[in-house]
Amino acid sequence: MLSTKVFSSGDDIQNRKILCNSTAVHPDKLEEVYETERMLEWVISNSFKKMKLSTLSFTLCLAFGIFTSSCCVDEVAAQHYGADCIIHYGHTCLSPTSKLPVLYIFTKSEVDIDDCMNQMLGTCTEREIKAILVCSTAYLHAIDKLFLKLKEHYRNVLATSLTSKYSKGNDSSEVTVITKCGRRIEIPAGDCLNDYSFIYIGSNQGPELTVMMMTLNKCRFYTYDPTERIFRWEQVNMNKALMKRYYYIERAKDANIVGIVVGTLGVSRYKEMIDHLKALLKKYGKKSYTFVVGKLNPAKLANFAEVDLYVLVACPESSLLDQSEFYQPIISPLELEIACNQARQWTGDYSLDFTELLPGSALYIEAPNFDSTNDDLADVSLINNRVRTIGMQDTSSLGESPSTDVSLINANMSIATIARNAGEFLSTRSWKGLEQKLGETAVSLAVQGQCGIAAGYENEPAS
């Protein structure tokens, strides 16, 4: 017999306490960790003088950012509070903002350099290894010391720097500058980046490392987690992960209705990306709908059964989701580009930064126009072996209901229709929602409803 009460007054829910775990910082190190002098100097030098609003805005934006643990700068919330600048504390994906100036304070977490070196010397016995040192933002303050220690034992080691507009690099004909994952990498001219290994200092379970390994999938990765004090070679099979992404690309080719999920409102050029995806889907002959649902979860997206597949427009660290509980695949803009843009081919090169796909960026490839009279614009699905057409199709000759003319026989020998938009999908459903009965229902005055929460309303007897 269950001992838990089915109904309650709801007081336990309203009075529930939420415990937040945080890493304690010694009071003597607060100014050093949070760089209060640099913050004050930045505020004063830029003459941010809206003291009444800005002080409140700084407090609220800072509290909101820490509570949500977001890697993106919350520019929308800052604008709601009337702030004229943003101070972002903690980890960040370094996605650029579009309107407000931002000061990044990464905080300074401790790292045992001697322990890192001792473990690395035992793991990496090849002294001539070509390696690139990358630190998570919390450990950037120690990258110079780490680099000098590494150079004592490995002469072919390089260090990265941030690619934000506040960082500077040396432009020379003797080096090749490569920008990946928010980092500026300078390798000797003539060298190939794929010949280098990466030494990552940070959590080996975080999304930042996953994004780097997916983007630089031809490189070997070594990681040192300062919290766990573990140095290891990441033996993750990237080919298997990329093949799974290629499966999603094939699903995108089969999809008729695609949902564009807005996963950010603060990253620069996100509106351009949405318009770009809409135009691409329309040119390819697919119907698209835009969704702004806040934090993603399977229950929200399950409300739209007519959508065959979703494409998520978000920062790189938020683009790779655990899709084990979602009913439909969620892909990145690059994967949709490969599926719809005939000029872009799958090569294994991967990027989760959607700004690189826009006009004027490094990975932009203009999609070709389709000729609807060309019979060669068709291929065969690798998933269901069906013939699929490419480009806009002329449905004027198919009758008033094109979806009923394009039908399939399923395993039960019954007719299965293919919907080209949400309206056609709704027309095939047996239940279409509540009947409105416009003009048939008598008008009545509103009455007082029940008060309280679903677990126990005020008019219900106390248990």
Side-chain angles (χ1 to χ4, degrees):
M1 181 179 294
L2 297 175
S3 59
T4 305
K5 295 188 295 183
V6 179
F7 300 101
S8 65
S9 62
D11 293 338
D12 57 333
I13 299 177
Q14 297 177 1
N15 298 327
R16 182 182 301 166
K17 294 182 179 180
I18 301 177
L19 300 178
C20 299
N21 296 326
S22 61
T23 304
V25 178
H26 195 277
D28 296 339
K29 295 185 177 181
L30 286 176
E31 293 186 1
E32 177 186 355
V33 171
Y34 294 103
E35 303 180 67
T36 54
E37 291 186 4
R38 186 165 73 95
M39 182 266 292
L40 291 174
E41 180 182 354
W42 183 73
V43 172
I44 295 173
S45 62
N46 287 278
S47 301
F48 297 123
K49 296 181 179 179
K50 295 182 180 180
M51 301 304 294
K52 183 177 181 181
L53 294 177
S54 294
T55 303
L56 179 61
S57 299
F58 288 144
T59 303
L60 291 175
C61 291
L62 174 58
F64 183 81
I66 291 178
F67 179 76
T68 57
S69 299
S70 174
C71 63
C72 298
V73 176
D74 200 340
E75 190 175 33
V76 175
Q79 288 178 311
H80 287 168
Y81 290 126
D84 50 11
C85 66
I86 304 174
I87 301 176
H88 185 90
Y89 284 84
H91 176 70
T92 175
C93 58
L94 298 173
S95 297
T97 56
S98 55
K99 296 181 180 179
L100 296 179
V102 181
L103 174 66
Y104 292 105
I105 297 181
F106 302 125
T107 69
K108 298 179 180 179
S109 300
E110 295 182 357
V111 52
D112 192 334
I113 297 177
D114 293 332
D115 180 70
C116 175
M117 285 304 308
N118 292 334
Q119 293 195 44
M120 182 175 179
L121 290 173
T123 305
C124 300
T125 57
E126 183 183 353
R127 296 296 182 261
E128 300 298 322
I129 183 175
K130 292 183 177 181
I132 298 175
L133 177 63
V134 182
C135 287
S136 180
T137 53
Y139 305 102
L140 276 175
H141 65 95
I143 190 169
D144 292 335
K145 294 181 180 179
L146 283 166
F147 177 67
L148 292 177
K149 279 285 187 180
L150 287 172
K151 289 291 288 185
E152 295 178 1
H153 304 277
Y154 306 94
R155 64 176 185 175
N156 295 323
V157 173
L158 305 174
T160 61
S161 59
L162 298 182
T163 57
S164 65
K165 60 184 179 181
Y166 305 106
S167 61
K168 298 180 180 180
N170 297 322
D171 295 326
S172 173
S173 59
E174 298 179 356
V175 298
T176 301
V177 179
I178 302 173
T179 301
K180 294 287 185 181
C181 305
R183 303 301 196 277
R184 177 188 173 97
I185 307 171
E186 298 179 2
I187 62 176
D191 282 9
C192 179
L193 183 62
N194 297 334
D195 296 333
Y196 283 81
S197 299
F198 280 80
I199 303 171
Y200 177 80
I201 309 299
S203 173
N204 52 28
Q205 302 294 330
E208 184 180 46
L209 177 61
T210 304
V211 171
M212 287 186 179
M213 295 183 66
M214 289 289 291
T215 305
L216 304 164
N217 52 73
K218 296 181 178 65
C219 300
R220 175 178 292 191
F221 271 80
Y222 296 93
T223 63
Y224 177 74
D225 190 334
T227 304
E228 302 293 334
R229 300 171 68 90
I230 297 176
F231 187 95
R232 70 185 186 188
W233 169 31
E234 296 293 336
Q235 303 184 43
V236 180
N237 190 348
M238 281 291 105
N239 290 331
K240 184 177 180 181
L242 290 174
M243 289 305 298
K244 185 175 182 180
R245 307 310 301 186
Y246 185 74
Y247 166 76
Y248 290 149
I249 293 174
E250 288 298 318
R251 288 287 300 270
K253 293 180 180 180
D254 292 342
N256 290 320
I257 303 175
V258 178
I260 302 174
V261 179
V262 183
T264 177
L265 296 176
V267 178
S268 177
R269 305 184 72 182
Y270 80 94
K271 292 183 180 179
E272 295 180 46
M273 188 72 250
I274 294 174
D275 294 338
H276 174 75
L277 294 176
K278 287 181 178 179
L280 182 64
L281 289 168
K282 183 178 181 180
K283 181 181 292 186
Y284 196 71
K286 298 180 183 293
K287 184 66 177 179
S288 64
Y289 296 93
T290 305
F291 299 91
V292 183
V293 296
K295 186 176 181 180
L296 287 181
N297 60 57
K300 290 180 180 179
L301 298 187
N303 290 319
F304 310 101
E306 63 271 25
V307 177
D308 300 320
L309 176 134
Y310 294 94
V311 53
L312 176 61
V313 179
C315 76
E317 294 188 18
S318 303
S319 297
L320 293 178
L321 302 174
D322 180 10
Q323 304 190 32
S324 58
E325 297 183 358
F326 285 90
Y327 294 95
Q328 300 294 353
I330 303 175
I331 66 175
S332 66
L334 174 63
E335 292 161 353
L336 185 68
E337 274 260 340
I338 297 174
C340 297
N341 188 346
Q342 297 298 298
R344 188 184 296 276
Q345 301 297 324
W346 172 260
T347 61
D349 294 335
Y350 202 76
S351 175
L352 289 166
D353 186 357
F354 65 80
T355 60
E356 295 183 350
L357 308 176
L358 295 173
S361 301
L363 300 182
Y364 172 73
I365 298 178
E366 184 177 0
N369 294 320
F370 295 105
D371 183 5
S372 59
T373 61
N374 190 352
D375 296 333
D376 296 333
L377 295 179
D379 64 351
V380 179
S381 170
L382 299 180
I383 297 178
N384 51 34
N385 295 326
R386 296 168 184 159
V387 177
R388 57 196 177 197
T389 56
I390 301 174
M392 296 293 294
Q393 302 298 314
D394 184 9
T395 59
S396 58
S397 61
L398 297 179
E400 296 181 358
S401 179
S403 64
T404 58
D405 291 324
V406 182
S407 59
L408 302 170
I409 304 297
N410 59 22
N412 297 325
M413 298 302 293
S414 59
I415 298 297
T417 59
I418 300 176
R420 291 190 178 90
N421 54 56
E424 292 182 6
F425 178 84
L426 183 62
S427 65
T428 61
R429 301 185 68 174
S430 59
W431 188 77
K432 301 180 178 60
L434 300 177
E435 298 181 7
Q436 297 183 8
K437 295 184 177 180
L438 298 177
E440 301 177 14
T441 306
V443 179
S444 60
L445 296 175
V447 297
Q448 179 67 40
Q450 297 189 84
C451 298
I453 60 177
Y457 294 103
E458 293 180 357
N459 61 333
E460 294 179 348
S463 56

mmCIF file of all heavy atoms in Angstrom, residues 404-433:
data_model
loop_
_atom_site.group_PDB
_atom_site.id
_atom_site.type_symbol
_atom_site.label_atom_id
_atom_site.label_comp_id
_atom_site.label_asym_id
_atom_site.label_seq_id
_atom_site.Cartn_x
_atom_site.Cartn_y
_atom_site.Cartn_z
ATOM 1 N N THR A 404 -3.861 13.878 -50.097
ATOM 2 C CA THR A 404 -4.589 12.631 -50.311
ATOM 3 C C THR A 404 -4.202 11.961 -51.614
ATOM 4 O O THR A 404 -4.376 10.768 -51.785
ATOM 5 C CB THR A 404 -6.102 12.906 -50.305
ATOM 6 O OG1 THR A 404 -6.377 13.866 -51.335
ATOM 7 C CG2 THR A 404 -6.549 13.446 -48.973
ATOM 8 N N ASP A 405 -3.668 12.733 -52.570
ATOM 9 C CA ASP A 405 -3.222 12.151 -53.825
ATOM 10 C C ASP A 405 -1.860 11.488 -53.688
ATOM 11 O O ASP A 405 -1.533 10.575 -54.425
ATOM 12 C CB ASP A 405 -3.152 13.221 -54.916
ATOM 13 C CG ASP A 405 -4.533 13.712 -55.309
ATOM 14 O OD1 ASP A 405 -5.457 12.890 -55.318
ATOM 15 O OD2 ASP A 405 -4.674 14.916 -55.555
ATOM 16 N N VAL A 406 -1.042 11.990 -52.772
ATOM 17 C CA VAL A 406 0.255 11.371 -52.510
ATOM 18 C C VAL A 406 0.098 10.494 -51.287
ATOM 19 O O VAL A 406 0.112 10.964 -50.161
ATOM 20 C CB VAL A 406 1.345 12.441 -52.266
ATOM 21 C CG1 VAL A 406 2.697 11.785 -52.052
ATOM 22 C CG2 VAL A 406 1.399 13.417 -53.424
ATOM 23 N N SER A 407 -0.123 9.207 -51.482
ATOM 24 C CA SER A 407 -0.435 8.309 -50.377
ATOM 25 C C SER A 407 0.448 7.078 -50.429
ATOM 26 O O SER A 407 1.046 6.748 -51.455
ATOM 27 C CB SER A 407 -1.912 7.896 -50.405
ATOM 28 O OG SER A 407 -2.207 7.251 -51.619
ATOM 29 N N LEU A 408 0.523 6.395 -49.294
ATOM 30 C CA LEU A 408 1.357 5.210 -49.164
ATOM 31 C C LEU A 408 0.545 4.086 -48.552
ATOM 32 O O LEU A 408 -0.468 4.322 -47.879
ATOM 33 C CB LEU A 408 2.576 5.494 -48.269
ATOM 34 C CG LEU A 408 3.498 6.629 -48.716
ATOM 35 C CD1 LEU A 408 4.493 6.920 -47.605
ATOM 36 C CD2 LEU A 408 4.235 6.250 -49.985
ATOM 37 N N ILE A 409 0.978 2.877 -48.780
ATOM 38 C CA ILE A 409 0.372 1.725 -48.127
ATOM 39 C C ILE A 409 1.295 1.291 -47.004
ATOM 40 O O ILE A 409 2.455 0.952 -47.237
ATOM 41 C CB ILE A 409 0.174 0.560 -49.117
ATOM 42 C CG1 ILE A 409 -0.659 1.015 -50.320
ATOM 43 C CG2 ILE A 409 -0.483 -0.623 -48.428
ATOM 44 C CD1 ILE A 409 -2.052 1.433 -49.965
ATOM 45 N N ASN A 410 0.800 1.321 -45.759
ATOM 46 C CA ASN A 410 1.656 0.942 -44.640
ATOM 47 C C ASN A 410 1.586 -0.563 -44.409
ATOM 48 O O ASN A 410 0.969 -1.306 -45.183
ATOM 49 C CB ASN A 410 1.279 1.730 -43.386
ATOM 50 C CG ASN A 410 -0.166 1.505 -42.969
ATOM 51 O OD1 ASN A 410 -0.774 0.501 -43.322
ATOM 52 N ND2 ASN A 410 -0.708 2.451 -42.216
ATOM 53 N N ALA A 411 2.198 -1.005 -43.329
ATOM 54 C CA ALA A 411 2.287 -2.446 -43.076
ATOM 55 C C ALA A 411 0.925 -3.081 -42.852
ATOM 56 O O ALA A 411 0.753 -4.277 -43.085
ATOM 57 C CB ALA A 411 3.186 -2.697 -41.866
ATOM 58 N N ASN A 412 -0.066 -2.318 -42.412
ATOM 59 C CA ASN A 412 -1.407 -2.841 -42.162
ATOM 60 C C ASN A 412 -2.308 -2.750 -43.386
ATOM 61 O O ASN A 412 -3.522 -2.905 -43.287
ATOM 62 C CB ASN A 412 -2.049 -2.087 -40.993
ATOM 63 C CG ASN A 412 -1.277 -2.293 -39.706
ATOM 64 O OD1 ASN A 412 -0.730 -3.375 -39.467
ATOM 65 N ND2 ASN A 412 -1.207 -1.253 -38.874
ATOM 66 N N MET A 413 -1.725 -2.446 -44.555
ATOM 67 C CA MET A 413 -2.466 -2.346 -45.811
ATOM 68 C C MET A 413 -3.543 -1.278 -45.750
ATOM 69 O O MET A 413 -4.617 -1.417 -46.320
ATOM 70 C CB MET A 413 -3.095 -3.703 -46.180
ATOM 71 C CG MET A 413 -2.076 -4.805 -46.400
ATOM 72 S SD MET A 413 -0.884 -4.380 -47.693
ATOM 73 C CE MET A 413 -1.956 -4.361 -49.122
ATOM 74 N N SER A 414 -3.275 -0.182 -45.052
ATOM 75 C CA SER A 414 -4.198 0.937 -44.998
ATOM 76 C C SER A 414 -3.536 2.161 -45.612
ATOM 77 O O SER A 414 -2.317 2.238 -45.695
ATOM 78 C CB SER A 414 -4.613 1.240 -43.554
ATOM 79 O OG SER A 414 -3.481 1.541 -42.776
ATOM 80 N N ILE A 415 -4.355 3.112 -46.047
ATOM 81 C CA ILE A 415 -3.842 4.301 -46.708
ATOM 82 C C ILE A 415 -3.243 5.247 -45.667
ATOM 83 O O ILE A 415 -3.862 5.550 -44.651
ATOM 84 C CB ILE A 415 -4.969 5.004 -47.492
ATOM 85 C CG1 ILE A 415 -5.503 4.065 -48.567
ATOM 86 C CG2 ILE A 415 -4.458 6.290 -48.117
ATOM 87 C CD1 ILE A 415 -4.487 3.686 -49.612
ATOM 88 N N ALA A 416 -2.044 5.723 -45.921
ATOM 89 C CA ALA A 416 -1.375 6.692 -45.055
ATOM 90 C C ALA A 416 -1.060 7.924 -45.888
ATOM 91 O O ALA A 416 -0.371 7.826 -46.903
ATOM 92 C CB ALA A 416 -0.093 6.116 -44.463
ATOM 93 N N THR A 417 -1.569 9.068 -45.506
ATOM 94 C CA THR A 417 -1.368 10.295 -46.267
ATOM 95 C C THR A 417 -0.144 11.041 -45.758
ATOM 96 O O THR A 417 0.261 10.892 -44.602
ATOM 97 C CB THR A 417 -2.596 11.213 -46.161
ATOM 98 O OG1 THR A 417 -2.822 11.518 -44.793
ATOM 99 C CG2 THR A 417 -3.818 10.527 -46.741
ATOM 100 N N ILE A 418 0.443 11.839 -46.641
ATOM 101 C CA ILE A 418 1.603 12.652 -46.299
ATOM 102 C C ILE A 418 1.171 14.103 -46.269
ATOM 103 O O ILE A 418 0.695 14.624 -47.273
ATOM 104 C CB ILE A 418 2.735 12.451 -47.317
ATOM 105 C CG1 ILE A 418 3.162 10.977 -47.342
ATOM 106 C CG2 ILE A 418 3.914 13.341 -46.992
ATOM 107 C CD1 ILE A 418 4.204 10.684 -48.380
ATOM 108 N N ALA A 419 1.328 14.767 -45.137
ATOM 109 C CA ALA A 419 0.923 16.171 -45.005
ATOM 110 C C ALA A 419 2.083 17.072 -45.369
ATOM 111 O O ALA A 419 3.225 16.824 -44.989
ATOM 112 C CB ALA A 419 0.455 16.450 -43.584
ATOM 113 N N ARG A 420 1.766 18.141 -46.141
ATOM 114 C CA ARG A 420 2.793 19.100 -46.516
ATOM 115 C C ARG A 420 2.791 20.319 -45.612
ATOM 116 O O ARG A 420 3.688 21.147 -45.701
ATOM 117 C CB ARG A 420 2.595 19.530 -47.972
ATOM 118 C CG ARG A 420 2.881 18.429 -48.977
ATOM 119 C CD ARG A 420 2.915 18.986 -50.390
ATOM 120 N NE ARG A 420 3.237 17.937 -51.346
ATOM 121 C CZ ARG A 420 2.337 17.175 -51.948
ATOM 122 N NH1 ARG A 420 1.053 17.355 -51.684
ATOM 123 N NH2 ARG A 420 2.704 16.258 -52.809
ATOM 124 N N ASN A 421 1.760 20.477 -44.778
ATOM 125 C CA ASN A 421 1.725 21.576 -43.824
ATOM 126 C C ASN A 421 0.847 21.172 -42.658
ATOM 127 O O ASN A 421 0.218 20.095 -42.667
ATOM 128 C CB ASN A 421 1.230 22.871 -44.486
ATOM 129 C CG ASN A 421 -0.104 22.689 -45.187
ATOM 130 O OD1 ASN A 421 -1.072 22.265 -44.571
ATOM 131 N ND2 ASN A 421 -0.144 22.994 -46.476
ATOM 132 N N ALA A 422 0.800 22.034 -41.644
ATOM 133 C CA ALA A 422 0.052 21.703 -40.426
ATOM 134 C C ALA A 422 -1.443 21.609 -40.684
ATOM 135 O O ALA A 422 -2.148 20.823 -40.048
ATOM 136 C CB ALA A 422 0.334 22.747 -39.351
ATOM 137 N N GLY A 423 -1.953 22.423 -41.623
ATOM 138 C CA GLY A 423 -3.383 22.374 -41.929
ATOM 139 C C GLY A 423 -3.802 21.040 -42.503
ATOM 140 O O GLY A 423 -4.840 20.478 -42.117
ATOM 141 N N GLU A 424 -2.996 20.504 -43.431
ATOM 142 C CA GLU A 424 -3.310 19.198 -44.001
ATOM 143 C C GLU A 424 -3.212 18.106 -42.950
ATOM 144 O O GLU A 424 -3.997 17.162 -42.936
ATOM 145 C CB GLU A 424 -2.358 18.906 -45.161
ATOM 146 C CG GLU A 424 -2.573 19.792 -46.373
ATOM 147 C CD GLU A 424 -1.636 19.429 -47.512
ATOM 148 O OE1 GLU A 424 -0.919 18.412 -47.369
ATOM 149 O OE2 GLU A 424 -1.617 20.144 -48.517
ATOM 150 N N PHE A 425 -2.239 18.219 -42.066
ATOM 151 C CA PHE A 425 -2.092 17.216 -41.012
ATOM 152 C C PHE A 425 -3.307 17.233 -40.093
ATOM 153 O O PHE A 425 -3.828 16.182 -39.700
ATOM 154 C CB PHE A 425 -0.822 17.492 -40.210
ATOM 155 C CG PHE A 425 -0.600 16.536 -39.071
ATOM 156 C CD1 PHE A 425 0.001 15.310 -39.283
ATOM 157 C CD2 PHE A 425 -0.998 16.870 -37.787
ATOM 158 C CE1 PHE A 425 0.204 14.425 -38.240
ATOM 159 C CE2 PHE A 425 -0.801 15.985 -36.731
ATOM 160 C CZ PHE A 425 -0.198 14.761 -36.966
ATOM 161 N N LEU A 426 -3.803 18.429 -39.742
ATOM 162 C CA LEU A 426 -4.961 18.539 -38.855
ATOM 163 C C LEU A 426 -6.214 17.970 -39.505
ATOM 164 O O LEU A 426 -7.057 17.366 -38.837
ATOM 165 C CB LEU A 426 -5.185 20.007 -38.476
ATOM 166 C CG LEU A 426 -6.330 20.294 -37.497
ATOM 167 C CD1 LEU A 426 -6.078 19.608 -36.163
ATOM 168 C CD2 LEU A 426 -6.506 21.794 -37.301
ATOM 169 N N SER A 427 -6.338 18.135 -40.817
ATOM 170 C CA SER A 427 -7.535 17.647 -41.503
ATOM 171 C C SER A 427 -7.621 16.129 -41.522
ATOM 172 O O SER A 427 -8.699 15.567 -41.685
ATOM 173 C CB SER A 427 -7.569 18.187 -42.935
ATOM 174 O OG SER A 427 -6.480 17.667 -43.684
ATOM 175 N N THR A 428 -6.484 15.441 -41.366
ATOM 176 C CA THR A 428 -6.489 13.981 -41.377
ATOM 177 C C THR A 428 -6.697 13.381 -39.995
ATOM 178 O O THR A 428 -6.877 12.165 -39.883
ATOM 179 C CB THR A 428 -5.162 13.461 -41.942
ATOM 180 O OG1 THR A 428 -4.082 13.895 -41.108
ATOM 181 C CG2 THR A 428 -4.936 13.971 -43.358
ATOM 182 N N ARG A 429 -6.699 14.189 -38.965
ATOM 183 C CA ARG A 429 -6.850 13.672 -37.605
ATOM 184 C C ARG A 429 -8.317 13.478 -37.269
ATOM 185 O O ARG A 429 -9.186 14.258 -37.678
ATOM 186 C CB ARG A 429 -6.208 14.625 -36.590
ATOM 187 C CG ARG A 429 -4.728 14.847 -36.827
ATOM 188 C CD ARG A 429 -4.093 15.684 -35.740
ATOM 189 N NE ARG A 429 -4.060 14.986 -34.462
ATOM 190 C CZ ARG A 429 -3.447 15.460 -33.377
ATOM 191 N NH1 ARG A 429 -2.813 16.617 -33.428
ATOM 192 N NH2 ARG A 429 -3.451 14.780 -32.260
ATOM 193 N N SER A 430 -8.597 12.436 -36.510
ATOM 194 C CA SER A 430 -9.984 12.164 -36.112
ATOM 195 C C SER A 430 -10.475 13.164 -35.085
ATOM 196 O O SER A 430 -11.664 13.493 -35.051
ATOM 197 C CB SER A 430 -10.092 10.741 -35.570
ATOM 198 O OG SER A 430 -9.233 10.573 -34.441
ATOM 199 N N TRP A 431 -9.584 13.660 -34.217
ATOM 200 C CA TRP A 431 -9.962 14.666 -33.224
ATOM 201 C C TRP A 431 -9.226 15.951 -33.527
ATOM 202 O O TRP A 431 -8.009 15.980 -33.603
ATOM 203 C CB TRP A 431 -9.606 14.192 -31.809
ATOM 204 C CG TRP A 431 -10.145 15.092 -30.735
ATOM 205 C CD1 TRP A 431 -11.423 15.175 -30.281
ATOM 206 C CD2 TRP A 431 -9.399 16.063 -29.976
ATOM 207 N NE1 TRP A 431 -11.538 16.111 -29.296
ATOM 208 C CE2 TRP A 431 -10.309 16.683 -29.085
ATOM 209 C CE3 TRP A 431 -8.078 16.465 -29.960
ATOM 210 C CZ2 TRP A 431 -9.928 17.669 -28.194
ATOM 211 C CZ3 TRP A 431 -7.701 17.457 -29.073
ATOM 212 C CH2 TRP A 431 -8.615 18.043 -28.203
ATOM 213 N N LYS A 432 -9.963 17.005 -33.751
ATOM 214 C CA LYS A 432 -9.387 18.272 -34.185
ATOM 215 C C LYS A 432 -9.466 19.343 -33.114
ATOM 216 O O LYS A 432 -9.425 20.525 -33.409
ATOM 217 C CB LYS A 432 -10.094 18.755 -35.451
ATOM 218 C CG LYS A 432 -10.009 17.796 -36.631
ATOM 219 C CD LYS A 432 -10.727 18.339 -37.829
ATOM 220 C CE LYS A 432 -10.606 17.394 -39.023
ATOM 221 N NZ LYS A 432 -11.159 16.066 -38.760
ATOM 222 N N GLY A 433 -9.633 18.947 -31.867
ATOM 223 C CA GLY A 433 -9.719 19.925 -30.791
ATOM 224 C C GLY A 433 -11.169 20.191 -30.401
ATOM 225 O O GLY A 433 -12.112 19.557 -30.910
#
